Amino acid sequence: NYTITELAEKVDTSDASVIRFCRSIGYKGYQDFKINMARDIAPANKLLDPELDREDTPEEICQKIFFSEMAVLKDTLAILDIKMLEKAAKVIVAAKRIELFGSGGSALVGMDAQHKFLKVGLKSFVHCDADIQAMSASLLGAGDVAIGISHSGSNRNVVRCMQLAKQQGATTIVMTTQGKSPLLKFADVVLFTATKETAFKSESATARIAQLALVDALVAMVALGDYDNSLYAIGQTRKATSDNKF
């Protein structure tokens, strides 16, 4: 369950040495090594979710999934640093430009955040292509905000985008699972989420629930902090989309 940074510290070496080791034994990198190790270690019927069994009834599946997601929300609330959340809300409100970076499921969380920021009057941007993300990050500057979302904290593209944004003087906000990871090196503000471990940590479905809830809390704080303008923006965006509804 270690991130690459945690493993490197445990064995007194560098992140790069861990990656070289994994490649030397035939894997693309640390994540590829972890996934294949999980496949070998975990029972085949527990790879999707350690709490689910193939014999579970639909009712049992729903109960286990819902209770698991409720538990992750409670755990995230317990570790949430409210001062960090307040700091994130303040820099977002004052931002000239807001860029969100993520890959896979985290990119979808970024798109959800963009949608909600727009509703309260904050112009934000999400790009799905990795090269476009990197190019956009390199053009940010002082007064801009870059938000990096990565469950593992070791997604190469997200880490690179946060590094580029920070080098250009932008304020960087990171949303990731609690623990040490390469992404934290380039974060001005860190928002940790909890998760329920699975054989494939990067594929934990509960992580998205915690990230989405954190986005909702952040947007609410932003909106309440600038209530009149947010209310006006909500009215305007509702009018703009009303023609799409019967």
Side-chain angles (χ1 to χ4, degrees), residues 176-229:
T176 188
T177 306
Q178 194 171 33
K180 295 179 180 179
S181 66
L183 191 58
L184 299 182
K185 298 175 185 177
F186 309 107
D188 295 313
V189 181
V190 180
L191 303 175
F192 284 123
T193 57
T195 185
K196 179 175 65 65
E197 293 294 348
T198 65
F200 307 112
K201 183 177 179 181
S202 62
E203 298 174 12
S204 175
T206 58
R208 307 292 165 251
I209 299 298
Q211 290 172 344
L212 290 168
L214 195 51
V215 166
D216 285 344
L218 188 56
V219 171
M221 291 180 69
V222 166
L224 292 172
D226 191 10
Y227 190 80
D228 291 337
N229 286 330

Side-chain angles (χ1 to χ4, degrees), residues 19 33 68 78 107 167-168 182 224 246:
I19 294 171
F33 169 69
S68 177
Q167 287 173 349
Q168 295 302 113
L224 292 172
F246 289 108

Side-chain angles (χ1 to χ4, degrees), residues 38-246:
R39 284 183 178 140
D40 288 342
I41 294 173
N45 64 329
K46 296 293 184 181
L47 289 178
L48 178 64
D49 189 307
E51 293 184 8
L52 295 178
D53 294 307
R54 294 178 68 179
E55 296 77 19
D56 283 345
T57 65
E59 182 180 5
E60 289 171 331
I61 292 171
C62 289
Q63 286 181 341
K64 289 181 178 181
I65 293 295
F66 276 67
F67 282 130
S68 177
E69 293 182 353
M70 286 189 287
V72 165
L73 288 174
K74 288 179 65 176
D75 291 344
T76 297
L77 185 59
I79 65 171
L80 187 58
D81 187 331
I82 300 299
K83 289 184 178 180
M84 279 286 187
L85 193 63
E86 289 177 331
K87 184 177 179 180
K90 286 179 180 178
V91 297
I92 287 171
V93 168
K96 294 188 297 184
R97 182 180 179 87
I98 304 166
E99 293 266 0
L100 297 118
F101 302 94
S103 296
S106 293
L108 298 178
V109 175
M111 292 171 69
D112 180 71
Q114 179 197 30
H115 174 247
K116 288 168 180 171
F117 282 141
L118 280 173
K119 276 191 169 184
V120 297
L122 295 179
K123 295 178 182 178
S124 55
F125 305 88
V126 178
H127 305 287
C128 294
D129 181 82
D131 287 344
I132 298 295
Q133 286 188 26
M135 290 165 64
S136 186
S138 72
L139 295 176
L140 294 177
D144 297 328
V145 172
I147 304 176
I149 307 169
S150 173
H151 174 45
S152 67
S154 57
N155 181 279
R156 189 190 302 272
N157 178 59
V158 178
V159 172
R160 178 60 176 155
C161 287
M162 290 297 100
Q163 181 182 20
L164 289 168
K166 191 170 180 65
Q167 287 173 349
Q168 295 302 113
T171 301
T172 54
I173 300 172
V174 163
M175 190 182 300
T176 188
T177 306
Q178 194 171 33
K180 295 179 180 179
S181 66
L183 191 58
L184 299 182
K185 298 175 185 177
F186 309 107
D188 295 313
V189 181
V190 180
L191 303 175
F192 284 123
T193 57
T195 185
K196 179 175 65 65
E197 293 294 348
T198 65
F200 307 112
K201 183 177 179 181
S202 62
E203 298 174 12
S204 175
T206 58
R208 307 292 165 251
I209 299 298
Q211 290 172 344
L212 290 168
L214 195 51
V215 166
D216 285 344
L218 188 56
V219 171
M221 291 180 69
V222 166
L224 292 172
D226 191 10
Y227 190 80
D228 291 337
N229 286 330
S230 296
L231 195 61
Y232 173 77
I234 290 171
Q236 289 296 99
T237 53
R238 280 180 178 168
K239 284 181 186 177
T241 58
S242 62
D243 289 344
N244 294 329
K245 302 181 178 72
F246 289 108

Side-chain angles (χ1 to χ4, degrees), residues 6-28:
E6 289 170 337
L7 178 60
E9 287 187 359
K10 288 288 182 181
V11 297
D12 195 26
T13 189
S14 66
D15 294 6
S17 293
V18 173
I19 294 171
R20 285 196 294 270
F21 166 75
C22 293
R23 288 175 177 170
S24 73
I25 57 174
Y27 299 103
K28 296 177 182 177

